[in-house]
Amino acid sequence: MVAPKKLFIKTYGCQMNVYDSERMAEAMGGAGYVETDRPEDADMILLNTCHIREKAAEKVYSELGRFRGLKEAKPDLKIGVAGCVAQAEGEEIMRRQPLVDLVVGPQSYHRLPQMEARVREGGRALDTDFPLEDKFDTLRHRPKARRGPTAFLTVQEGCDKFCAFCVVPYTRGAEVSRPAARVLEEARDLVERGVREITLLGQNVNAYHGTGEGGDWSLARLIWALNDIDGLERIRFTTSHPNDMSDDLIAAHGECARLMPYLHLPVQSGSDRILKRMNRKHTAEGYLRLIERIRAARPDILISGDFIVGFPEETEADFQATLDLIEAVGYGQAFSFKYSTRPGTPAAERPQVDDAVKSERLQRLQDLITRQQRAVQDAMVGRTVGVLFEKPGRLPGQMVGKSDHLHAVHVAGSGLNVGDLARVEIVDSGPNSLAGRVLAS
Ligand code: SAH
Ligand code: SF4
Ligand code: F3S
């Protein structure tokens, strides 16, 4: 028997890339590869890259530089670049980095095995098409291996929103939703393999409109169908756009038992002037009203957000409006970034805010968010929540999992197993996690 070849994949960027890396590993499994976590053992290295900010994109080139030594030591080693940098800069990567054998975009990775065969024969391969065939379809025949208790499942890809700062509509292409039956089939398969929590993914997941029985399915309808799958205990979804938060989805948050009380709903800025320039098509007031309606449906929901500071022409008053919005919402979680100019996007051409000003604003925003996060976390003490245990903790007998609200929770000496879902009383709140006590079920 021939020893299997080894594949090392390094993943950057969002959850969609994590999902895609799993699919690429499966596709390459069909070509005789097994995964390794040691690049020095690999016959092929794949970098699954992110283009969202300049820093993320630059990492690819420095990482490639690091693999030069490996390739010199092992001339048979093949190096590939996948993901959003591959899509945006494929030709340039090929030109700048002779050691790259293969470049594959996020919509064509089901063709990896054929590309691998070509590079094994000594060629180079580039595929950044948006092919007509469905990449998910060709990836359906995968091994039925057991897996951990949580999984991502891509239901929608691409974006038609064209926010003025964002590369996603260019790297991932137009919005496409997978048919509902395919999503349900993949979910059932995951549950058979041990998964108890599924996070539905899409760059614009709440814009999901899949074909299904009886016509068009909304995300809410899909969630209700998933809610009926025996053994699937928890459903989450990310990332949502405020303008696609439909009534049925808001209602589902109040009524659907397995839909978790957590919503990532980026607003980016609290200034209407900036929101307009960002092409976000919503106002700060509209966002606040939306949050009110969501909280009316599900009072304990934890709201999470994304913020960009120092967008072109952002003044101190604009930034203050963002802080005011944050004060008004009370975030349980948030991600914040300095605006980064992205080639080809409209905002890249506009008057830029000084980097020192961006840094100072980011610091102030993050201080406020940290205080809010901590307050939301501290308020969990004394409450009872569900926790899905994902791994052993650092201390003997300790187990760590995620609460319904996505807080990390650890419990001591409980005799629990990975994959157990338990009722836990929260007894303490630390800097990054909660401590709990498992209640007898
Ligand atoms: N689809 C999601 C987010 C995709 S990108 C949405 O619509 O919200 C994730 C986050 O990266 C964005 O929410 C935004 O806050 C940030 N981001 C995107 N482009 C950026 C840029 N050019 N500079 C800084 N942050 C950016
Ligand atoms: Fe990017 Fe999200 Fe805006 Fe789409 S909605 S352009 S993914 S930030
Ligand atoms: Fe990055 Fe592409 Fe995701 S740019 S954030 S990996 S969609």
Side-chain angles (χ1 to χ4, degrees):
M1 213 182 93
V2 213
K5 287 184 287 222
K6 292 198 173 135
L7 172 68
F8 172 79
I9 307 185
K10 183 155 183 178
T11 308
Y12 303 85
C14 60
Q15 290 107 323
M16 184 92 63
N17 264 10
V18 175
Y19 177 87
D20 288 346
S21 289
E22 288 174 9
R23 301 293 79 74
M24 288 194 267
E26 284 167 7
M28 293 300 283
Y33 278 80
V34 295
E35 264 193 282
T36 174
D37 50 13
R38 291 165 47 92
E40 54 279 18
D41 291 348
D43 299 285
M44 174 173 270
I45 291 177
L46 270 180
L47 299 181
N48 194 10
T49 61
C50 173
H51 199 245
I52 202 79
R53 284 168 290 276
E54 196 179 349
K55 264 208 197 107
E58 268 172 5
K59 269 193 209 143
V60 180
Y61 292 99
S62 56
E63 191 72 34
L64 284 172
R66 246 179 285 164
F67 292 137
R68 179 165 295 123
L70 285 180
K71 185 134 179 168
E72 277 162 8
K74 192 175 183 181
D76 268 357
L77 170 67
K78 301 297 176 197
I79 295 184
V81 179
C84 291
V85 181
Q87 189 64 43
E89 301 176 9
E91 311 256 348
E92 195 191 336
I93 295 169
M94 284 293 205
R95 220 174 24 248
R96 263 176 75 176
Q97 274 296 358
L99 64 93
V100 171
D101 301 285
L102 170 168
V103 167
V104 62
Q107 304 306 348
S108 36
Y109 57 68
H110 53 294
R111 295 173 174 168
L112 262 174
Q114 294 91 303
M115 296 174 76
E116 190 266 353
R118 229 179 308 150
V119 301
R120 284 281 155 223
E121 286 161 12
R124 296 176 96 196
L126 176 128
D127 190 340
T128 49
D129 290 352
F130 288 89
L132 286 175
E133 79 262 13
D134 179 357
K135 72 176 177 196
F136 298 105
D137 216 31
T138 41
L139 290 167
R140 279 165 76 201
H141 310 287
R142 53 181 170 187
K144 298 265 176 195
R146 279 300 283 182
R147 43 173 305 158
T150 65
F152 294 131
L153 201 177
T154 294
V155 302
Q156 178 278 334
E157 247 195 288
C159 183
D160 298 339
K161 297 271 193 299
F162 291 92
C163 299
F165 48 82
C166 184
V167 293
V168 171
Y170 312 96
T171 61
R172 293 276 170 170
E175 267 176 27
V176 179
S177 294
R178 294 176 68 191
R182 290 278 195 272
V183 173
L184 294 170
E185 176 190 25
E186 186 164 334
R188 280 188 215 102
D189 172 70
L190 288 168
V191 171
E192 274 168 31
R193 292 155 63 194
V195 169
R196 307 192 76 188
E197 170 180 311
I198 291 180
T199 303
L200 305 176
L201 298 183
Q203 267 90 28
N204 225 321
V205 72
N206 58 344
Y208 176 85
H209 278 288
T211 52
E213 225 180 274
D216 184 55
W217 281 43
S218 65
L219 185 67
R221 185 152 179 205
L222 188 64
I223 288 169
W224 278 108
L226 288 162
N227 194 57
D228 285 339
I229 296 180
D230 261 355
L232 178 59
E233 304 294 342
R234 290 172 144 189
I235 305 162
R236 305 182 187 277
F237 61 90
T238 197
T239 293
S240 296
H241 192 287
N243 293 0
D244 293 314
M245 215 51 219
S246 55
D247 292 346
D248 61 346
L249 190 56
I250 295 173
H253 271 290
E255 295 162 5
C256 183
R258 289 169 173 164
L259 181 58
M260 290 294 106
Y262 183 103
L263 180 65
H264 184 56
L265 196 63
V267 64
Q268 315 297 354
S269 168
S271 154
D272 288 345
R273 204 178 70 93
I274 294 297
L275 285 168
K276 202 169 172 76
R277 283 172 163 70
M278 285 177 164
N279 193 31
R280 287 290 293 183
K281 299 197 169 81
H282 58 73
T283 60
E285 187 52 38
Y287 180 83
L288 291 173
R289 275 204 306 272
L290 177 61
I291 298 284
E292 257 171 41
R293 287 173 54 216
I294 296 163
R295 283 190 168 140
R298 180 77 202 229
D300 73 331
I301 198 162
L302 187 147
I303 303 290
S304 155
D306 287 346
F307 297 92
I308 294 179
V309 303
F311 185 78
E313 300 172 87
E314 184 189 73
T315 63
E316 177 60 25
D318 293 318
F319 175 65
Q320 191 55 53
T322 301
L323 296 181
D324 293 346
L325 177 138
I326 294 172
E327 289 282 7
V329 171
Y331 284 92
Q333 169 79 274
F335 306 90
S336 47
F337 316 95
K338 287 199 269 185
Y339 169 71
S340 168
T341 48
R342 307 310 294 128
T345 60
E349 312 297 327
R350 302 192 193 145
Q352 302 294 314
V353 172
D354 192 67
D355 190 60
V357 174
K358 286 187 199 171
S359 299
E360 186 260 344
R361 286 182 189 163
L362 185 66
Q363 190 59 53
R364 281 156 67 199
L365 187 147
Q366 289 185 337
D367 288 347
L368 173 58
I369 294 284
T370 306
R371 278 202 303 279
Q372 289 196 337
Q373 263 172 312
R374 195 58 205 264
V376 170
Q377 202 191 290
D378 291 350
M380 299 307 293
V381 176
R383 289 184 52 183
T384 297
V385 290
V387 175
L388 177 61
F389 289 94
E390 294 178 10
K391 57 182 184 207
R394 269 177 294 125
L395 304 175
Q398 197 184 47
M399 286 292 281
V400 187
K402 292 278 167 56
S403 75
D404 301 336
H405 304 87
L406 216 53
H407 285 122
V409 178
H410 55 87
V411 300
S414 52
L416 290 161
N417 295 308
V418 169
D420 286 351
L421 181 64
R423 301 298 297 164
V424 171
E425 188 197 358
I426 302 300
V427 295
D428 198 11
S429 169
N432 301 308
S433 64
L434 294 164
R437 188 171 63 83
V438 177
L439 301 178
S441 47

